[in-house]
Amino acid sequence: MKCLVIIPTYNESENIKQMIFEVFQQSASLDILVVDDNSPDETFKIVEEFIQEREKDIKNSPISLKSEDMIEHLSQNETQKLFLLKRDAKKGLGSAYVEGFKFAIERNYDFIIQMDADFSHDPKEIPNLLKEINQYDLVIGSRYIMGTNVVNWPLSRLILSTFASKYVQLITWMPIKDPTGGYKCIRISALKLIDLDRILSDGYSFQIEINYRIWLKNLLIKEIPIVFTDRRVGQSKMSKKIVREAVWMVWKLRIYSFFKKL
């Protein structure tokens, strides 16, 4: 059973190499796809350098796909593959994941894992997600399933996140305590039931929409507790624009579902 870990990046040069290393430590069944939006800090070059380091001991030339900006690199025994998709501009979190989902479907993966590059999502939780996905279609690493497990957030950010979760539950009726969380494992068969070309969200509301679409399909969802720690280094991507999109997107999703358009 193969799993693709999808890590969208934008200005994560200080985190990405260590994140890749730690993810690979969790399971031999994991491959990684980094989707970089042409980061000004050249995060993509860090990934390319990491790839080159991994290739030093490979006798044969690496396999390389020259279509557009996709680069594929395989280890000698074809385990733990590392992929880089460098996009030409900052196109948003939602479209980054959609491209990653399509990539995973085309390559016949069994599961995908979504996670951030900034270590707010602890790679050590990956085995727990993989353990539960054997019986579910979506497993969410939840900050709020057992109290509030958030470390180093300012009170204002914590209040906003808690309110957002309650707001989403109220509007959508989803029985998910952490509907905005971005650390999750999804079965590929569940993604195939979603028309990825009709995804409405681009910012963090994308996390809500994916959960909602899977829930509407009456698929099996489970939340497991994680500890969410604010990023080690770098700057948060949260903005007022992202918050506004999420506020209105929840209503849009609810209305679309009422008219059977999701």
Side-chain angles (χ1 to χ4, degrees):
M1 305 294 280
K2 293 291 290 182
C3 179
L4 181 68
V5 180
I6 305 172
I7 308 176
T9 56
Y10 187 76
N11 287 345
E12 294 291 353
S13 62
E14 297 175 285
N15 293 307
I16 189 59
K17 184 173 181 178
Q18 186 64 27
M19 172 57 73
I20 292 171
F21 177 78
E22 293 194 24
V23 168
F24 275 146
Q25 297 300 306
Q26 304 309 313
S27 171
S29 68
L30 297 175
D31 294 344
I32 298 175
L33 169 64
V34 176
V35 184
D36 186 79
D37 275 3
N38 198 23
S39 296
D41 73 351
E42 299 186 329
T43 301
F44 55 89
K45 286 193 175 181
I46 304 297
V47 180
E48 290 170 349
E49 290 171 2
F50 189 96
I51 288 168
Q52 291 170 5
E53 291 176 7
R54 285 167 55 86
E55 291 176 349
K56 285 181 180 179
D57 296 329
I58 299 178
K59 297 179 181 179
N60 300 321
S61 298
I63 296 174
S64 180
L65 296 181
K66 298 301 182 181
S67 59
E68 297 284 327
D69 3 10
M70 173 64 70
I71 304 173
E72 174 186 351
H73 299 270
L74 308 182
S75 62
Q76 189 172 11
N77 59 2
E78 296 190 358
T79 63
Q80 291 197 305
K81 303 170 188 175
L82 175 59
F83 306 96
L84 169 65
L85 173 56
K86 179 179 174 290
R87 308 201 296 175
D88 59 8
K90 188 176 182 181
K91 298 180 179 179
L93 182 73
S95 63
Y97 273 126
V98 167
E99 289 198 46
F101 292 168
K102 290 180 177 180
F103 179 89
I105 291 170
E106 291 169 359
R107 296 301 182 90
N108 297 314
Y109 283 91
D110 300 293
F111 316 105
I112 64 95
I113 288 177
Q114 295 181 204
M115 66 184 303
D116 295 341
D118 60 8
F119 285 94
S120 56
H121 298 151
D122 187 350
K124 292 183 176 63
E125 296 289 352
I126 288 176
N128 297 326
L129 292 170
L130 293 175
K131 178 181 178 181
E132 296 296 338
I133 198 62
N134 287 318
Q135 301 178 58
Y136 295 89
D137 299 291
L138 167 63
V139 179
I140 301 170
S142 176
R143 297 164 290 185
Y144 306 124
I145 192 68
M146 294 181 63
T148 300
N149 293 322
V150 177
V151 179
N152 293 336
W153 258 7
L155 181 60
S156 59
R157 182 78 183 274
L158 181 58
I159 292 173
L160 175 62
S161 177
T162 304
F163 172 79
S165 296
K166 299 296 184 183
Y167 176 79
V168 172
Q169 290 176 51
L170 178 65
I171 304 304
T172 64
W173 300 356
M174 278 193 300
I176 296 176
K177 293 185 178 296
D178 191 2
T180 64
Y183 199 9
K184 60 187 71 171
C185 185
I186 308 174
R187 189 177 291 273
I188 290 294
S189 58
L191 289 178
K192 288 181 177 179
L193 298 177
I194 298 173
D195 187 347
L196 296 175
D197 292 325
R198 297 182 64 186
I199 294 292
L200 304 172
S201 309
D202 198 33
Y204 282 87
S205 57
F206 172 81
Q207 307 293 4
I208 302 169
E209 181 171 354
I210 288 298
N211 294 341
Y212 191 50
R213 286 178 178 270
I214 290 176
W215 180 67
L216 288 176
K217 299 293 184 183
N218 294 315
L219 299 177
L220 298 176
I221 301 174
K222 182 173 183 177
E223 292 181 87
I224 63 172
I226 62 166
V227 176
F228 181 95
T229 305
D230 198 15
R231 63 169 48 246
R232 294 181 181 179
V233 294
Q235 296 182 343
S236 172
K237 310 301 189 300
M238 186 62 68
S239 67
K240 291 181 180 179
K241 179 181 178 181
I242 289 172
V243 173
R244 285 196 299 269
E245 180 200 26
V247 168
W248 292 111
M249 186 57 68
V250 174
W251 282 103
K252 190 172 183 178
L253 291 170
R254 188 73 178 92
I255 293 169
Y256 272 46
S257 68
F258 181 79
F259 290 103
K260 309 296 183 182
K261 292 186 176 181
L262 289 183

